Amino acid sequence: QVQLVESGGGLVQPGGSLTLSCIVSGGVLRSLDMRWWRQVPGKEREWVASTTQTRISLYTNSVKGRFAIFRDNAKNMVSLQMNSLKPEDTAVYFCNSVEPTVWGQGTQVTVSS
């Protein structure tokens, strides 16, 4: 079955940058629509960005102009480039596939001075 593994999280100062990666196994990435989500403890999970199999990208308003989602089908990898990070971006970030719907384990991003 499809499995997703995120990596790249860590601690970064406000205004800094960080790139998250999601490796897809058990499936062919080029046939999947992929999404990034984030969640703060005690809060509902929030959709962040999407990339379709035709490479159309969408973003939630709070990250437009700062985040960029990319896919490398040959490497079965989806990335989220995060720039100009703010403390409110702090969350656990999850990779998610559509049809089938599968979630990764999440990677922590902390934006703090």
Side-chain angles (χ1 to χ4, degrees):
Q1 64 269 35
V2 172
Q3 292 184 332
L4 310 176
V5 179
E6 304 97 332
S7 63
L11 175 65
V12 63
Q13 294 186 6
S17 299
L18 203 62
T19 299
L20 307 181
S21 297
C22 174
I23 300 297
V24 178
S25 63
V28 180
L29 177 59
R30 62 177 175 268
S31 68
L32 299 171
D33 291 343
M34 301 294 295
R35 295 167 179 165
W36 283 97
W37 302 69
R38 64 188 181 187
Q39 187 169 27
V40 176
K43 305 296 182 181
E44 292 189 350
R45 193 165 295 183
E46 174 191 23
W47 168 75
V48 176
S50 300
T51 177
T52 69
Q53 58 185 293
T54 55
R55 300 181 182 272
I56 297 172
S57 299
L58 294 171
Y59 303 91
T60 191
N61 286 338
S62 64
V63 308
K64 287 181 179 178
R66 299 190 298 120
F67 290 14
I69 187 170
F70 299 97
R71 64 193 300 146
D72 187 336
N73 292 335
K75 296 181 178 180
N76 260 22
M77 182 174 68
V78 177
S79 299
L80 184 68
Q81 175 67 50
M82 304 183 294
N83 301 314
S84 301
L85 284 162
K86 305 174 181 179
E88 51 263 43
D89 294 319
T90 295
V92 177
Y93 284 72
F94 297 88
C95 184
N96 163 242
S97 66
V98 180
E99 198 173 359
T101 299
V102 178
W103 294 88
Q105 83 289 344
T107 185
Q108 176 71 47
V109 173
T110 302
V111 184
S112 179
S113 298

